[in-house]
Amino acid sequence: MSGKSAQMSYYGFMGRDVLTILPTGARKSLIFQSFPIVFDVMHSSQSPSICLVISPLSSLMQDQVMYLNSVGIKAAFIGDDQTDEEIKWHVETGYYQLVYGSPEAFLASSRWRKMLTGDVYRDIVCLVAVDEAHCIQHWGYAVKKGEQAFRKWFSRINEMRSLLKKIPILALTATATLATKNKIVRALEMDTCEVINQSPNRKNIVYSVQAVTGGAHQTFGPIIKELREKTVSFERIIIYCQTIKICSHIYGVFKEEMGEDMYVSTGDITSGMVEMYHSRIDELNRDNIVKDFSIPNGHIRVLIATIAYGMGINCQGVKSIVHYGPSRNVEAYLQESGRAGRDSSDMCKAVILYSNVMLKYCDEPMTEYARNTNSQWQEQSRDSDHVYGKSVLKDALNKV
């Protein structure tokens, strides 16, 4: 356990709220996953304690629950995707030490609200962990006055405080601007919380930005050529696109240029070295991609994706992240570029390729980062540009 992680746990054991901002790949989830077990040892608890984990995505919850049960830790998730009544009953009896759910599951359901105020949970809940806490800012509040929030219950997680006795809250995220930090603290009523903050810059990721003028065939031609030559030894790369339409177009370019060379085994469509991932692909294909990317030597070497491939997904062996068009904001960019180098200390690359029309999807700090870093790229050497790029990134994060 790192020094930051130990500090986080210490504050939690002391009953204090903690806001934790650590880079992607820092294994933040291990803190709350181990918390009830260590808590019981420290307090000689007569019955197992429970950690409630508020998570934004069902797929993320299910992956973590599956992993925890495989290593002998009792975990379950609640929500619309949980159809097993026996598991639900066991959740209510306090059988599981980690119970995952979305804000909607815990707060919008009378069944689970009642559970939280019952005798079992009132006495044995030791921590409420809010994973991917930046979603409070981006999903819990309307972007413009008069509009509805995407998921309003993210702005009402503080209701957990009235349903449970005084329990510490641990909020975790990889990136947060000053505005997002303040919003998280206010929304969760963590005015006196401890803040553990580490620079989002990953030491093993080199950042750069480049304007592009040619089409996709010209832009990705060198990658296609190298993939055809190296096949499964090609270093794994994720290409993020701003829309499903662009994602499909880029995939089509690879398919057109490579033909049968796109497959490890000729004629076997399940052996593709290039795949695309977005919210509209079928569940079987999505599961196959996630499974293949969880091992470093999987046959998929190039993944063309939208932001649907993001939070909490276990990806291995990724050496490069290319954004064909910047992310919508700096926080999202750091989350997505952080898919690289999660399983290795080897130097990795994060590159933004953009044209002016692509900037319409981005907020002002992201646009400023892209333009300023590209300008500096043209004037300075590669190494000094990377330092400059990180500096601009840090400045953008600190903007209110």
Side-chain angles (χ1 to χ4, degrees):
M1 183 178 288
S2 70
K4 298 281 187 183
S5 299
Q7 191 179 5
M8 228 190 305
S9 298
Y10 169 76
Y11 288 137
F13 294 137
M14 296 296 291
R16 289 149 79 173
D17 296 333
V18 184
L19 171 59
T20 301
I21 306 167
L22 295 178
T24 54
R27 311 198 75 176
K28 298 180 288 294
S29 59
L30 288 178
I31 303 304
F32 59 78
Q33 288 170 349
S34 61
F35 192 92
I37 299 170
V38 180
F39 182 90
D40 287 344
V41 172
M42 292 182 63
H43 293 80
S44 302
S45 304
Q46 297 299 310
S47 57
S49 300
I50 295 174
C51 171
L52 302 178
V53 183
I54 298 176
S55 182
L57 302 174
S58 179
S59 58
L60 177 57
M61 288 185 263
Q62 292 181 50
D63 287 346
Q64 292 194 15
V65 165
M66 185 182 302
Y67 166 74
L68 289 168
N69 282 302
S70 73
V71 296
I73 298 175
K74 296 173 182 176
F77 71 92
I78 59 174
D80 292 340
D81 291 334
Q82 181 57 268
T83 58
D84 190 320
E85 283 299 325
E86 185 176 357
I87 290 178
K88 293 179 183 179
W89 180 80
H90 278 304
V91 168
E92 290 174 313
T93 63
Y95 175 77
Y96 298 104
Q97 283 203 274
L98 284 121
V99 178
Y100 286 74
S102 65
E104 294 87 350
F106 281 117
L107 298 170
S109 164
S110 58
R111 177 176 185 174
W112 303 120
R113 284 184 76 105
K114 181 180 179 181
M115 175 189 75
L116 295 178
T117 57
D119 292 340
V120 174
Y121 276 70
R122 187 178 62 242
D123 293 333
I124 62 176
V125 173
C126 62
L127 180 72
V128 174
V130 183
D131 201 11
E132 308 292 356
H134 58 277
C135 292
I136 292 172
Q137 161 82 327
H138 298 303
W139 293 358
Y141 297 87
V143 177
K144 297 179 181 178
K145 189 174 182 180
E147 294 181 351
Q148 287 190 336
F150 174 50
R151 293 174 64 178
K152 66 177 183 179
W153 288 101
F154 270 94
S155 66
R156 297 173 62 176
I157 297 174
N158 61 319
E159 291 184 22
M160 299 287 281
R161 291 192 183 275
S162 63
L163 298 173
L164 298 161
K165 64 180 183 179
K166 185 173 174 56
I167 299 297
I169 291 181
L170 170 63
L172 309 101
T173 183
T175 54
T177 63
L178 181 60
T180 299
K181 294 175 193 174
N182 292 337
K183 183 73 78 171
I184 292 170
V185 169
R186 288 197 300 269
L188 298 179
E189 299 176 5
M190 300 171 66
D191 297 334
T192 58
C193 71
E194 303 291 342
V195 179
I196 298 176
N197 195 352
Q198 184 174 321
S199 169
N201 289 327
R202 294 265 301 280
K203 292 181 179 179
N204 67 331
I205 297 180
V206 173
Y207 300 87
S208 62
V209 180
Q210 182 66 57
V212 293
T213 54
H217 285 270
Q218 178 182 337
T219 299
F220 295 104
I223 293 177
I224 293 171
K225 182 176 181 291
E226 186 177 350
L227 176 62
R228 181 182 278 116
E229 293 170 352
K230 293 184 177 180
T231 64
V232 292
S233 64
F234 180 81
E235 288 191 343
R236 184 169 264 171
I237 182 174
I238 299 174
I239 301 171
Y240 275 107
C241 302
Q242 293 176 316
T243 66
I244 293 176
K245 184 178 180 180
I246 296 174
C247 183
S248 300
H249 173 64
I250 302 303
Y251 178 79
V253 168
F254 273 80
K255 192 171 183 179
E256 178 185 342
E257 293 287 337
M258 295 193 68
E260 289 298 316
D261 291 342
M262 199 166 81
Y263 304 99
V264 176
S265 302
T266 303
D268 181 6
I269 61 173
T270 65
S271 66
M273 293 186 293
V274 182
E275 288 288 353
M276 64 175 166
Y277 190 106
H278 53 70
S279 60
R280 295 180 188 170
I281 63 173
D282 64 82
E283 185 175 355
L284 179 60
N285 194 24
R286 181 175 68 246
D287 291 345
N288 287 338
I289 292 170
V290 170
K291 182 179 180 181
D292 188 85
F293 251 61
S294 68
I295 53 175
N297 59 346
H299 60 81
I300 301 174
R301 309 315 296 170
V302 177
L303 182 63
I304 304 162
T306 65
I307 58 172
Y309 189 83
M311 289 184 291
I313 293 180
N314 177 25
C315 53
Q316 302 288 310
V318 178
K319 299 298 184 183
S320 299
I321 303 291
V322 173
H323 277 78
Y324 191 58
S327 304
R328 64 188 181 279
N329 55 54
V330 176
E331 290 166 307
Y333 176 59
L334 286 169
Q335 288 277 347
E336 292 152 16
S337 61
R339 302 303 118 206
R342 293 174 69 92
D343 58 332
S344 170
S345 59
D346 294 345
M347 289 305 298
C348 301
K349 293 175 284 189
V351 182
I352 293 177
L353 304 175
Y354 80 97
S355 62
N356 285 332
V357 71
M358 293 174 175
L359 297 179
K360 69 180 182 180
Y361 295 102
C362 313
D363 66 8
E364 186 176 345
M366 188 74 243
T367 299
E368 182 182 342
Y369 168 66
R371 284 179 170 157
N372 286 352
T373 309
N374 178 63
S375 174
Q376 199 74 6
W377 166 274
Q378 295 171 356
E379 298 172 8
Q380 297 187 4
S381 70
R382 183 181 179 87
D383 289 340
S384 59
D385 173 69
H386 293 149
V387 174
Y388 178 85
K390 287 187 176 185
S391 174
V392 176
L393 207 57
K394 184 177 180 181
D395 290 344
L397 273 174
N398 287 327
K399 285 183 178 292
V400 178

